[in-house]
Amino acid sequence: PAALNGKPVTSIGPAFLGHTGLTSIAIPGSVTHIGSMAFAYTGLTSVTIPASVGVIAAEAFRWCPQLASAEFLGDAPNMDARVFDDAASGFTVKFASGARDFTLPTWLGYPAEEVSPELGVQQPAGNPLTDGDATVAFDPVPRTGWSRRTFTLTNAGAGTLTGLALS
């Protein structure tokens, strides 16, 4: 949870150490520190690290043999030794295009991949969009009425879609 007893969760300690049945976790955006062995010896298959995390301590995700990837939503955090050691064969660190302090083809000894979101738009009939357009103008609506058009946005890419605004 993002808060316990009304206080924000900012750090995760070894509370999950050895919980092999733990296969997924949602780390809240309030977390700034992931402690030593916090998720070691778990059954995690992937993990998403929020942009708020600035420090990942030693062996935080070590000995997670099912862990195939770690996706970072922000810039590279400070990371201690052996954080992802003994993860699944082919384990990959994924980070958003434009994130700072990551390196390719490896980051801190782990295979790394830069990923980008890919936005898909399904629009209602009569409101065509063309590739590269960022704006759709609708017919004027009288002040006494209203109009609704539903657009469905999907992310077909490998990266997390952020910074999207509709007005």
Side-chain angles (χ1 to χ4, degrees), residues 27-29 31-32 34 47-56 70-79 93-103 107 112-115 117 158-163:
I27 299 173
V31 171
T32 59
I34 298 174
V47 64
T48 300
I49 309 293
S52 58
V53 173
V55 175
I56 303 177
E71 183 174 355
F72 290 82
L73 300 183
D75 295 334
N78 292 319
M79 224 167 65
V93 166
K94 298 179 179 184
F95 61 93
S97 179
R100 294 184 310 221
D101 300 323
F102 287 100
T103 56
W107 176 63
E113 176 183 331
E114 185 175 20
V115 295
T160 301
L161 185 62
T162 60

Side-chain angles (χ1 to χ4, degrees), residues 28-47:
S30 58
V31 171
T32 59
H33 181 270
I34 298 174
S36 180
M37 300 187 83
F39 297 98
Y41 293 106
T42 63
L44 288 174
T45 57
S46 66
V47 64

Side-chain angles (χ1 to χ4, degrees), residues 13-34:
F16 302 99
L17 173 64
H19 288 268
T20 57
L22 180 68
T23 58
S24 67
I25 187 87
I27 299 173
S30 58
V31 171
T32 59
H33 181 270
I34 298 174

Side-chain angles (χ1 to χ4, degrees), residues 62-91:
R62 189 166 188 188
W63 299 293
C64 294
Q66 313 308 318
L67 187 60
S69 66
E71 183 174 355
F72 290 82
L73 300 183
D75 295 334
N78 292 319
M79 224 167 65
D80 288 341
R82 300 175 305 280
V83 168
F84 297 110
D85 283 13
D86 303 305
S89 176
F91 171 82

